[in-house]
Amino acid sequence: MDARFLRRHRITVQVQANQIWYSSRSPAWAVAAVAGQAGLEGYQMVSKDDEAIDEQLLLSSQGATAADVIGSAQLGESLALLLQDGLGLTDGDELDDDAPVIRMINAILNEAASRRASDIHLEPYESGSVVRFRVDGLLQDVAHPPRALHAALISRIKVMAQLDIAEKRLPQDGRMTVKSPSGLIDLRISTLPTGFGERAVLRLLAKGKGPLSLHEVGMSSETLQRFKSLVNRSFGILLVTGPTGSGKTTTLYAALSELDAKTRNIMTVEDPIEYDMPGIAQTQVHPKIGLSFAQSLRSILRQDPDVILIGEIRDLETAQIAIQASLTGHLVLATLHTNDSSSAVSRLLDMGVEPFLLSSSLIGVLAQRLVRRRCSSCMPRSIMGCDDCGQSGFKGRLGIFELLIVDDAIRSAIKLRGDASDIRRMALDMPGFLPLQRDGARLVSSGVTTEQEIARVTASGHEELV
Ligand SMILES: [Zn+2]
């Protein structure tokens, strides 16, 4: 059944109930035509009042879940028609939301936004295609479009992100901004060819939503106070470490929002820019045109900065410039990809940073993870899972932290090329230092999260030394 035909004649398909609804305003000939086809597909024709039809039409164009829209598209719509409609962009940004593939993509994007997903995956397999969302750090299956539709969905995404739709053998990446009922969404798109076709991952970057403040990221009051004392220093390097998706960037933005951008020149080098910060000069790296982290940093240093945020230190060159900058009177905030605070030192030394330069520039390392927060609707009822949290028992996340402040003893250890376990032993003797797991225990005892959740996110830590 052609979805456009149905909409035009005010006829709606109720997939769950196996019914087709029509109203007194649906032309008799159209109802007869649909009834003929519906009989073959086991659907029952039901007469409804205009209001019910209006509501259904509105739902299918806006609030329909991705699974509903994909389900209704399977009702015998011809693939040729889908492809033809799905790829046709109309003038400007006005998209024809009757085209099934466009409706499907819109439904997927809207649902991802309303479920607070951070990523959307579209993956082809031998027998089907899967749409998955990452919510609160974990992937979940959302819909299973027919295998035959997969290429059309990917092509549609590539058109929206202005990628080359003819190129299917090479990975591509791009960006796009879409409107959803919950506001503008910035998306970063990455495609990758696989044995069964291209897969796509869409990262959702909330636009217009300001960064959190340091009070909101979940630090204990002691850690917050100690961390703030580092953020307010006028020079040195302060690192935030953790695996991908551990909330490092959110914490750095929160730290920046702590500083007064009116009296200090704050500049960033990022990939990508995740929030627009008022009063702060943000630079996006573009490796393709030679604007690497290192290159951008060199230019920023000629712009008289006080505070510099480096999205991530990935190479020796960036690390060296960061250290030089911090030694010449700048506060440098950066993320580094390591599991805990003490291994940040060995990571930088392994990159080739000189121990004496690191010892005189590093002021602190904050390691962090995000744990899922127990759902506030079902937790008071002592049940795990309700409609509010999608039956998971969790809704939203917050951080657990381990803050290493570099004191004289640790400075000497760095100078002597001490390894991560030496530095960790010294840290454990320091007043105020709490390992990640112990900081997590604080949230378990107050019922904010569960023990299993802490174990899950800290699995790659240093349990033997705790
Ligand atoms: Zn719940």
Side-chain angles (χ1 to χ4, degrees):
M1 252 166 271
D2 182 351
R4 291 182 139 186
F5 177 91
L6 293 175
R7 285 176 70 81
R8 195 175 312 128
H9 300 302
R10 306 178 47 77
I11 300 171
T12 72
V13 179
Q14 307 298 312
V15 181
Q16 310 287 344
N18 260 29
Q19 293 180 341
I20 291 176
W21 293 2
Y22 61 96
S23 81
S24 58
R25 281 164 63 195
S26 314
W29 62 269
V31 176
V34 172
Q37 270 193 55
L40 294 174
E41 292 176 272
Y43 278 77
Q44 186 195 353
M45 299 298 290
V46 180
S47 166
K48 287 278 174 180
D49 57 12
D50 277 311
E51 269 174 33
I53 300 282
D54 281 342
E55 196 182 288
Q56 285 306 313
L57 289 173
L58 194 72
L59 272 179
S60 67
S61 68
Q62 285 184 349
T65 67
D68 284 348
V69 174
I70 287 168
S72 72
Q74 289 176 43
L75 290 174
E77 284 180 336
S78 95
L79 182 62
L81 186 73
L82 285 172
L83 282 165
Q84 176 200 320
D85 286 341
L87 298 180
L89 262 178
T90 47
D91 291 341
D93 287 342
E94 281 296 308
L95 302 176
D96 180 359
D97 72 2
D98 275 336
V101 170
I102 295 181
R103 285 212 333 273
M104 270 180 238
I105 295 288
N106 289 350
I108 290 170
L109 293 172
N110 288 344
E111 192 172 341
S114 74
R115 286 211 210 170
R116 301 169 301 106
S118 59
D119 301 83
I120 301 167
H121 292 223
L122 250 102
E123 303 161 0
Y125 295 99
E126 192 169 9
S127 58
S129 169
V130 182
V131 178
R132 298 200 287 172
F133 290 168
R134 186 179 294 280
V135 178
D136 291 339
L138 297 179
L139 282 170
Q140 46 187 243
D141 270 24
V142 173
H144 297 90
R147 179 71 182 85
L149 273 186
H150 185 82
L153 291 169
I154 297 281
S155 292
R156 172 68 199 152
I157 288 168
K158 287 163 85 175
V159 167
M160 289 171 86
Q162 298 179 335
L163 302 180
D164 180 357
I165 57 165
E167 180 54 80
K168 297 179 160 74
R169 300 155 306 169
L170 292 172
Q172 295 187 59
D173 55 83
R175 297 185 72 129
M176 64 189 196
T177 302
V178 295
K179 270 183 219 155
S180 86
S182 45
L184 287 181
I185 319 170
D186 255 353
L187 293 143
R188 199 161 38 131
I189 290 94
S190 152
T191 67
L192 185 75
T194 71
F196 299 112
E198 287 175 287
R199 47 176 289 151
V201 173
L202 289 73
R203 161 70 50 97
L204 281 78
L205 311 165
K207 210 182 166 95
K209 230 184 265 172
L212 296 178
S213 78
L214 270 184
H215 292 271
E216 293 167 298
V217 297
M219 285 181 197
S220 69
S221 54
E222 301 82 57
T223 305
L224 179 64
Q225 205 177 2
R226 294 168 70 233
F227 188 65
K228 273 187 176 177
S229 75
L230 296 175
V231 172
N232 284 303
R233 296 228 195 142
S234 54
F235 60 91
I237 296 186
L238 176 54
L239 296 172
V240 179
T241 74
T244 304
S246 57
K248 303 185 289 279
T249 310
T250 305
T251 302
L252 280 187
Y253 280 117
L256 284 191
S257 66
E258 200 65 25
L259 300 168
D260 182 4
K262 285 204 183 79
T263 58
R264 298 225 245 176
N265 183 14
I266 304 174
M267 305 187 78
T268 76
V269 193
E270 303 170 67
D271 185 23
I273 294 175
E274 292 187 27
Y275 295 101
D276 296 324
M277 301 273 292
I280 291 177
Q282 296 174 278
T283 305
Q284 163 82 52
V285 303
H286 283 290
K288 274 184 200 152
I289 56 166
L291 190 60
S292 61
F293 270 107
Q295 189 58 49
S296 311
L297 268 177
R298 274 194 212 95
S299 308
I300 277 182
L301 282 168
R302 290 191 284 269
Q303 295 277 323
D304 185 29
D306 296 297
V307 180
I308 303 166
L309 181 149
I310 303 172
E312 188 184 349
I313 296 182
R314 293 176 193 163
D315 53 66
L316 176 61
E317 203 183 0
T318 307
Q320 282 171 331
I321 303 171
I323 287 174
Q324 280 158 21
S326 72
L327 291 174
T328 51
H330 305 94
L331 179 68
V332 178
L333 309 174
T335 75
L336 190 67
H337 205 295
T338 64
N339 278 335
D340 61 22
S341 55
S342 43
S343 39
V345 170
S346 38
R347 167 62 54 86
L348 288 169
L349 295 177
D350 288 346
M351 274 185 192
V353 171
E354 288 294 334
F356 75 96
L357 288 178
L358 184 60
S359 70
S360 39
S361 54
L362 189 64
I363 57 174
V365 185
L366 181 79
Q368 76 169 81
R369 298 288 190 281
L370 289 178
V371 294
R372 290 180 298 161
R373 191 195 283 264
R374 282 285 279 120
C375 164
S376 57
S377 307
C378 55
M379 188 181 64
R381 291 184 276 148
S382 298
I383 52 169
M384 199 74 180
C386 65
D387 286 345
D388 271 5
C389 55
Q391 308 305 328
S392 68
F394 296 96
K395 195 172 180 186
R397 288 187 293 176
L398 82 173
I400 56 172
F401 301 91
E402 162 183 304
L403 176 59
L404 173 72
I405 294 184
V406 176
D407 64 0
D408 287 341
I410 289 181
R411 209 167 287 129
S412 322
I414 297 174
K415 216 182 285 179
L416 296 170
R417 233 176 231 289
D419 64 20
S421 53
D422 294 338
I423 291 173
R424 187 156 191 88
R425 259 181 226 109
M426 296 170 74
L428 286 167
D429 287 339
M430 282 169 64
F433 179 87
L434 268 189
L436 276 177
Q437 289 89 340
R438 271 197 241 160
D439 190 48
R442 162 180 69 92
L443 299 180
V444 174
S445 58
S446 56
V448 174
T449 190
T450 63
E451 228 164 291
Q452 293 88 325
E453 190 60 12
I454 303 293
R456 180 179 71 84
V457 300
T458 57
S460 49
H462 278 257
E463 292 89 334
E464 77 281 10
L465 283 169
V466 175

